[in-house]
Amino acid sequence: MRSPDSRERVRLSDIADEAGVSVATISKVLNGHGDISPATRARIEGLLTARGYVRRSQRERPPGGLIELVFHEFEASWSMEIIAGVQEVAKEQGLAVVVTESGGAHSLGEQWIEGVLRRRPAGIVLVASAVLARQRARLAARGIPSVVVDSAGDPPADVPSVGSANWAGGLAATRHLLELGHRRIAAITGPSDMLCSFARLDGYRSAMATAGLDVDPLWVRFGTFHVDFGRDAAREILALPDRPTAVFAGNDLQALGVYDAARERGLRVPEDLSVVGYDDIAPARWVSPALTTVHQPLRRMGVEAARMLLDPSARSAAGGVARVELATHLVVRGSTAPPREG
């Protein structure tokens, strides 16, 4: 296996000779130019990876460098907090921030990777998104690191990540409702293909089990993290014969949808229905009554991811790459109260 130093000494002229092309063609591939045939590009990419070529990013970072920030889906009130955190670090380093949306997909297409190679960012922050192994290899060959924030699934072993204590947040939200006296507590979590959805739901289930309470399957819904789904799921839950007296929503937007469904049925929050959200976005403070929610340190997650991205030592940990999990905490406001039946 080549050492890191020997990887840095790989000469482009040697790769060009082996590929049967000019050094200028190798440079075009490295810089993401599009006027290279797919077959030639693939051959060069394979040789760069096989020979362990890694661009020394600090020396070769282009003037006016940038951080690429990729969301699988852009939602302003939530996303802006992470953007602000990344921007804070980028400004300190004299870098710009480019924001990309992958259109709801948790994995990114080939068109995106070609654009990244043309832009040559200092690094990539992926929010609930992931790059495929072959894409990571292409990025590594250019010396472009990546960090995942709030990973949709378990991040690959060689990709550093920043997340929050989702399980503890779900546990704290549900325990708060239990301490108020609620026993029929519903949960509306996020998409079934996202790790954080399951972690928050597992926290809820653990709190209920510890209290000796069974969870009716009809009380649990996987959703989309959007207001509309929170409203639709709550409509079904609140129409049950023995409806829950409280709802833990997996994010604040779905909690706002629960508010709408409660109003439709003539139920008051919190007198008739207690609601807890998750994230602590700005609208949670503005809605009436103000929403009790789990504070997720979104801005700090952006800060930590950007710092990790720009500092190679921060991306490493004993035995592998860094995994950072930031604490969450419950913020009690006006949307929770003891159930009417006492």
Side-chain angles (χ1 to χ4, degrees):
M1 180 180 293
R2 294 171 181 262
S3 69
D5 288 342
S6 67
R7 284 201 301 267
E8 292 180 356
R9 290 197 297 269
V10 172
R11 295 188 303 176
L12 296 185
S13 59
D14 293 338
I15 295 176
D17 289 343
E18 190 170 354
V21 299
S22 67
V23 172
T25 300
I26 301 291
S27 180
K28 285 183 178 181
V29 171
L30 285 170
N31 292 321
H33 292 295
D35 57 341
I36 305 293
S37 73
T40 299
R41 182 182 298 278
R43 185 168 72 255
I44 293 171
E45 293 283 359
L47 287 170
L48 287 168
T49 301
R51 299 296 174 265
Y53 176 80
V54 177
R55 169 171 283 168
R56 285 167 284 184
S57 58
Q58 294 301 317
R59 190 176 71 186
E60 298 187 50
R61 182 183 298 168
L66 55 89
I67 293 175
E68 183 108 3
L69 177 55
V70 183
F71 291 89
H72 84 284
E73 188 173 43
F74 189 81
E75 193 289 308
S77 56
W78 184 86
S79 305
M80 285 304 297
E81 290 295 314
I82 294 179
I83 293 172
V86 173
Q87 177 63 30
E88 178 182 324
V89 177
K91 186 176 180 181
E92 292 172 357
Q93 300 297 319
L95 300 173
V97 178
V98 170
V99 179
T100 304
E101 183 186 41
S102 64
H106 295 303
S107 59
L108 299 155
E110 297 307 314
Q111 185 175 4
W112 170 80
I113 194 74
E114 295 298 336
V116 168
L117 296 177
R118 287 193 297 271
R119 289 187 288 274
R120 293 177 61 193
I124 304 167
V125 176
L126 300 140
V127 183
S129 299
V131 290
L132 301 175
R134 66 176 182 277
Q135 295 171 333
R136 294 201 304 277
R138 296 183 70 182
L139 293 172
R142 309 307 193 281
I144 302 175
S146 62
V147 175
V148 176
V149 174
D150 205 16
S151 176
D154 190 23
D158 58 344
V159 177
S161 66
V162 177
S164 68
N166 288 295
W167 181 86
L171 183 77
T174 311
R175 278 184 172 171
H176 170 65
L177 293 169
L178 290 166
E179 289 167 359
L180 289 172
H182 293 277
R183 294 297 178 265
R184 300 196 306 278
I185 303 171
I188 302 172
T189 190
S192 59
D193 61 348
M194 293 187 69
L195 192 63
C196 65
S197 302
F198 282 98
R200 294 170 196 178
L201 184 61
D202 285 345
Y204 155 83
R205 291 186 186 278
S206 294
M208 295 290 280
T210 301
L213 299 173
D214 294 328
V215 174
D216 187 328
L218 296 176
W219 295 351
V220 177
R221 298 288 192 281
F222 281 92
T224 62
F225 282 150
H226 294 158
V227 173
D228 289 348
F229 185 87
R231 182 188 304 115
D232 293 343
R235 282 171 177 162
E236 296 175 0
I237 289 168
L238 297 178
L240 295 171
D242 194 19
R243 70 166 179 83
T245 61
V247 177
F248 165 48
N251 75 333
D252 291 343
L253 294 178
Q254 290 187 145
L256 298 182
V258 175
Y259 272 43
D260 286 348
R263 280 193 291 267
E264 289 175 358
R265 295 190 66 85
L267 300 175
R268 297 169 299 165
V269 176
E271 291 86 352
D272 303 312
L273 181 72
S274 285
V275 182
V276 179
Y278 199 105
D279 283 336
D280 196 20
I281 58 176
R285 301 187 292 275
W286 304 336
V287 71
S288 182
L291 180 65
T292 294
T293 187
V294 175
H295 177 81
Q296 181 173 209
L298 297 169
R299 182 172 184 138
R300 189 180 163 206
M301 288 162 67
V303 167
E304 294 295 330
R307 287 177 177 165
M308 187 184 293
L309 193 70
L310 300 176
D311 181 359
S313 64
R315 297 197 298 272
S316 301
V321 299
R323 295 278 190 265
V324 175
E325 183 175 272
L326 302 177
T328 55
H329 65 270
L330 185 71
V331 180
V332 179
R333 298 194 179 104
S335 66
T336 51
R340 286 176 65 96
E341 66 251 38

